[in-house]
């Protein structure tokens, strides 16, 4: 053990990590053993769940053959969708490379279930940025608002709890679908546990049994033992270049839900009358399937990375959301620096640690749709993949970075250590070991 530690320290040193940073981080890691052991157990359960679904559905080599053209009778596509349905505990699933991203999957879910005159309700506050244009909160070409679908929102209370009275009041005869975002995304509210989502759904269904409950499951898959579809959600939706793609999926989105919900979604994705029957997979089925197989392990690594970072930056006195001890329901970590230089240094570290584009220096830029400059760090095998180690944030108070991912715990760890190294090099922080 001693020898490994010594070699590791030398290795890290040759990779730019100074002794004070290495020792500071090692000490933090030492204190996380029990926590990590529990994460290993959750991952083991989820691995079994995924493996069982693959065996039960007789996944075979023939499933990986590419289809072209219409893609009729694509056995790999059909098998993968059955596997997803089993993993998420739903009647049916739509898992397609033709779903271009998470926003597309969510827009598809909303646009397929809602009809003119219906109302959409978000009982958990403002949805993810990109959905504002889908819904029409920010006017956009083709939004739900243009089709006469109205929107209502009930914010969480200041302490992060549900506004039960407000929700009961907002439900009305027009309410057709309730959208619940599991992850806090780029907001400072708490992420919702599957248990809390279950309580919210039960409350809503008690008052309006025919309302559809949809969960934006982005970044939440495999973090817990169960998924929101196992506590009453009619539809769960997510992106394959986040958790369930396991870092291998090059594109895609998924919807898992009731037979009726998935049928409506399939008729919207392709065409009325065609539904799930068409959609060639062009050879991606094997990576989508293998990615799902790896996903519980990949999510485990990302989760450990998030907790490691929370404990490091928490110990240094920064506000970290969630904090180092809180239970986790997604893989996102927020660190507030209140200092543009430190925020930039953090992102430089994440970038420098990447397997791809490690030589690039991230710089803040004017990104469309944002009111402040945004800095981003990512060096990914799959472009834009945020299950791979990545960080970003708007350059304004509180100068917070949101960071997530890491295909392996070892890489997430090195990335976070490199971020601390860059911050250490600014001379603005002290590490206790420095004096030794
Ligand atoms: C990432 C994300 C989305 C949108 O997914 P894209 O693939 O970026 O379009 C929606 N909701 C949440 C909570 C997300 O994290």
């Amino acid at each position: 053990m001693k020898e490994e530690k010594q070699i590791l320290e030398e290795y890290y040193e040759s990779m730019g990590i100074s002794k004070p940073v290495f020792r500071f981080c090692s000490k933090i890691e030492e204190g996380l053993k029990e926590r990590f052991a529990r994460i290993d157990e959750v991952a083991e359960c989820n691995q079994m769940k995924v493996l069982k679904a693959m065996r039960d559905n007789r996944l075979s080599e023939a499933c990986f053959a590419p289809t072209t053209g219409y893609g009729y009778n694509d056995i790999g596509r059909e098998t993968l969708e059955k596997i997803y349905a089993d993993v998420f505990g739903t009647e049916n699933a739509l898992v397609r490379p033709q779903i271009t991203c998470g926003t597309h999957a969510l827009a598809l879910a909303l646009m397929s279930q809602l009809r003119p005159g219906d109302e959409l309700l978000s009982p958990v506050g403002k949805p993810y940025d990109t959905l504002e244009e889908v819904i029409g909160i920010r006017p956009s070409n083709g939004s739900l608002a243009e089709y006469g679908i109205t929107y209502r929102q009930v914010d969480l209370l200041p302490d992060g709890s549900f506004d039960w009275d407000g929700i009961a009041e907002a439900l009305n005869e027009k309410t057709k679908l309730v959208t619940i975002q599991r992850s806090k995304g780029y907001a400072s509210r708490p992420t919702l546990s599957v248990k809390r989502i279950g309580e919210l759904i039960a409350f809503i269904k008690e008052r309006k049994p025919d309302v559809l409950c949809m969960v934006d499951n982005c970044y939440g898959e495999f973090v817990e033992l169960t998924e929101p579809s196992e506590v009453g959600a009619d539809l769960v939706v997510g992106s394959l270049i986040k958790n369930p793609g396991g870092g291998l999926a090059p594109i895609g989105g998924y919807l898992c839900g009731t037979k009726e919900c998935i049928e409506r979604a399939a008729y919207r994705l392709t065409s009325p009358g065609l539904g799930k029957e068409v959609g060639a997979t062009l050879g991606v089925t094997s990576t989508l399937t293998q990615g799902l197989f790896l996903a519980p392990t990949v999510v485990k690594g990302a989760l450990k990375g998030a907790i490691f970072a929370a404990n490091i930056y928490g110990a240094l006195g920064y506000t970290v959301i969630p904090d180092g001890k809180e239970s986790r329901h997604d893989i996102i970590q927020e660190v507030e620096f209140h200092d543009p230089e430190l925020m930039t240094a953090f992102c430089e570290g994440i970038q420098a640690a990447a397997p791809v584009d490690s030589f690039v220096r991230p710089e803040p830029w004017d990104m469309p749709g944002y009111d402040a400059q945004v800095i981003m760090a990512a060096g990914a095998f799959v472009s834009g993949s945020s299950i791979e180690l990545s960080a970003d944030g708007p350059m304004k108070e509180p100068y917070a970075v949101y960071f997530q991912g890491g295909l392996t715990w070892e890489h997430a760890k090195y990335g976070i250590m490199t971020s601390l190294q860059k911050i250490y090099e600014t001379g603005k922080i002290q590490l206790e070991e420095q004096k030794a």
Side-chain angles (χ1 to χ4, degrees), residues 100-122:
T100 56
C101 61
T103 304
H104 185 192
L106 289 157
L108 172 63
L110 294 172
M111 291 176 168
S112 58
Q113 311 302 318
L114 292 160
R115 298 288 179 272
D118 287 344
E119 188 160 278
L120 168 68
L121 169 67
S122 170

Side-chain angles (χ1 to χ4, degrees), residues 307-341:
I307 291 167
F308 184 56
N311 280 278
I312 285 175
Y313 287 101
L316 290 170
Y318 298 104
T319 300
V320 286
I321 305 173
D323 72 31
K325 295 216 159 57
E326 257 172 84
S327 67
R328 298 270 159 167
H329 314 291
D330 68 6
I331 62 165
I332 298 181
Q333 181 63 47
E334 179 183 349
V335 184
E336 294 181 355
F337 286 110
H338 299 286
D339 181 333
E341 188 188 1

Side-chain angles (χ1 to χ4, degrees), residues 101-103 106 128 130 181 183 216 218-219 239 242:
C101 61
T103 304
L106 289 157
Y128 196 77
T130 55
Q181 186 180 309
S183 168
D216 174 350
C218 282
Y219 287 131
S239 162
K242 293 180 181 172

Side-chain angles (χ1 to χ4, degrees), residues 88-89 193-202 205 213 215 226-234:
F88 286 87
S193 66
V194 171
K195 183 164 171 283
R196 285 190 70 198
I197 291 173
E199 288 161 4
L200 179 58
I201 292 173
K205 295 248 178 187
C213 291
V215 174
T226 52
E227 299 294 333
S229 35
E230 295 169 80
V231 294
D234 299 281

Side-chain angles (χ1 to χ4, degrees), residues 60-78 97-98 279-289:
S60 67
E61 194 180 345
C63 293
F64 304 141
T67 55
T68 58
Y70 296 105
Y72 293 133
N73 303 313
D74 184 322
I75 155 185
R77 183 189 69 212
E78 288 167 7
Q98 285 85 10
T281 48
L282 310 172
V284 299
T285 304
S286 74
T287 44
L288 300 195
T289 314

